[in-house]
């Protein structure tokens, strides 16, 4: 239990640090959709729609216009605006990890590591028992050969 809690705390701290550092090399811009590459078949339905590849245009920090392709939720049309994360080279980038994902990964990391350590310990104990039993049987076999050689 202690291993699980410590691991979860460490993983949580690392993920939070990475999420906080994400904005050092990335920024969010408002981009305009120029072209939709494929429209999903389900576009006419009112249910949640699958992702769509789009070409977008935005203004970079240098004031120049940049274009790029990204995948976004479908339903966008040419002329729509959407929030887009770009890296230092003004290329579209995935956004930072959602908070819920950070929490779930941190919570699952602890029990996973603890289970792995328990399994490794169980395998070591089983291996040690097998080795001890094998040595004992080999000793008994040696004694039996000695006894039968004397004719007793």
């Amino acid at each position: 239990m202690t291993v699980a809690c410590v691991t979860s705390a460490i993983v949580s701290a690392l993920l939070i640090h990475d999420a906080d550092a994400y904005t050092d090399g990335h920024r969010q811009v408002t981009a305009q959709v120029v072209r939709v590459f494929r429209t999903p078949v389900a576009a006419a339905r009112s249910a949640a729609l699958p992702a769509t590849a789009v070409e977008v245009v935005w203004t970079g920090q240098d004031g120049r216009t940049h274009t790029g392709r990204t995948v976004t939720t479908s339903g966008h049309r040419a002329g729509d605006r959407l929030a887009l994360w770009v890296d230092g080279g003004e290329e579209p980038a995935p956004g930072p990890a959602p908070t819920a994902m950070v929490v779930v990964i941190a919570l699952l990391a602890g029990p996973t590591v603890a289970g792995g350590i328990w399994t490794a310990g169980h395998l070591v104990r089983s291996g040690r028992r097998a080795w001890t039993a094998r040595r004992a049987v080999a000793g008994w076999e040696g004694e039996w050969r000695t006894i039968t050689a004397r004719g007793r």
Side-chain angles (χ1 to χ4, degrees), residues 38 40 49-53 71-74:
R38 66 188 153 132
L49 301 176
T52 301
V71 176
T72 184
T73 57
S74 60

Side-chain angles (χ1 to χ4, degrees), residues 34-51:
V34 176
R35 182 172 64 169
V36 177
F37 288 108
R38 66 188 153 132
T39 303
V41 176
R45 289 191 278 151
S46 60
L49 301 176

Side-chain angles (χ1 to χ4, degrees), residues 92-118:
T99 305
M101 183 185 296
V102 170
V103 170
V104 168
I105 290 173
L107 289 176
L108 290 177
T112 300
V113 169
I117 290 172
W118 180 85

Side-chain angles (χ1 to χ4, degrees), residues 61-99:
Q61 286 183 325
D62 56 1
R64 295 186 315 155
T65 301
H66 297 275
T67 60
R69 292 182 181 182
T70 190
V71 176
T72 184
T73 57
S74 60
H76 290 288
R77 294 189 177 108
D80 288 351
R81 295 194 174 278
L82 60 94
L84 177 72
W85 283 92
V86 294
D87 60 15
E90 294 295 332
E91 293 293 324
T99 305

Side-chain angles (χ1 to χ4, degrees), residues 4 7 28 30-31 36 43 46 55 58 72-73 81 91 101 113-114 125 129 134 140-141 146:
T7 302
Q28 194 171 20
T30 301
V36 177
S46 60
E55 184 174 1
W58 69 93
T72 184
T73 57
R81 295 194 174 278
E91 293 293 324
M101 183 185 296
V113 169
R125 281 191 308 274
R129 285 182 191 147
R134 191 170 180 180
W140 294 335
E141 289 293 326
T146 303

